[in-house]
Amino acid sequence: MKYHLPLVLFDPECPLCLRFKQGLEHLDKSLSFVSARDEEVFNEFPELSRQACLEKVHLITAEREILSGPEVIDYLLKTLPGVSKLAWLLDNEQGRKVKEFFYQKVEELRELTNKKDEDCNQCPRK
């Protein structure tokens, strides 16, 4: 296998995704990252959808389980050193609502950023 697991797929053309990746690189050296625009990853993991991976963050665990969106956040909360010690704060119904709300707002911001780039005559086209 070419890729070291766990593997995070992200969109390098999305500024928020790029910052998310950079932050995770500082928190956990065991995570690997690959662009969701890299065709080779879809040959290695044919069960992945390129379009879905560009729309939401995806993570492939060491057991080859595929997680997406808020599931990735849950996985990271449980496995990241330091962060996992505080995961219990979100491990209830109210905590789940907070995570879902936060993830939804980040997604909305990402979509607005992408839309702004598409509407801007001076922004490079994807």
Side-chain angles (χ1 to χ4, degrees):
M1 174 170 37
K2 176 181 176 178
Y3 300 99
H4 173 38
L5 301 178
L7 178 68
V8 178
L9 286 89
F10 72 101
D11 182 359
E13 293 184 18
C14 167
L16 288 174
C17 300
L18 199 53
R19 294 292 292 158
F20 180 68
K21 173 198 175 271
Q22 291 167 344
L24 285 177
E25 285 175 322
H26 290 290
L27 291 173
D28 190 343
K29 304 298 182 201
S30 71
L31 290 172
S32 297
F33 300 87
V34 67
S35 167
R37 297 179 182 279
D38 179 0
E39 290 298 325
E40 289 183 40
V41 73
F42 300 103
N43 293 332
E44 180 76 28
F45 301 97
E47 61 270 35
L48 291 172
S49 158
R50 182 175 191 261
Q51 186 60 39
C53 290
L54 288 172
E55 291 173 3
K56 289 184 178 181
V57 64
H58 279 65
L59 183 140
I60 304 168
T61 69
E63 296 79 25
R64 294 182 68 98
E65 179 184 1
I66 296 175
L67 307 175
S68 70
E71 296 172 325
V72 173
I73 305 305
D74 287 337
Y75 174 87
L76 294 172
L77 283 172
K78 291 175 185 168
T79 61
L80 288 178
V83 177
S84 61
K85 293 176 183 151
L86 300 174
W88 65 271
L89 291 169
L90 299 172
D91 197 20
N92 57 47
E93 186 59 32
Q94 198 62 26
R96 281 187 282 285
K97 288 179 183 177
V98 168
K99 285 186 292 188
E100 288 171 12
F101 177 80
F102 177 74
Y103 187 82
Q104 178 186 1
K105 292 304 171 191
V106 169
E107 279 298 302
E108 289 173 10
L109 184 57
R110 188 179 71 81
E111 288 174 16
L112 283 173
T113 301
N114 288 339
K115 184 173 176 15
K116 179 182 171 192
D117 287 349
E118 290 169 4
D119 293 342
C120 177
N121 294 332
Q122 298 170 346
C123 294
R125 298 288 178 230
K126 295 181 182 179

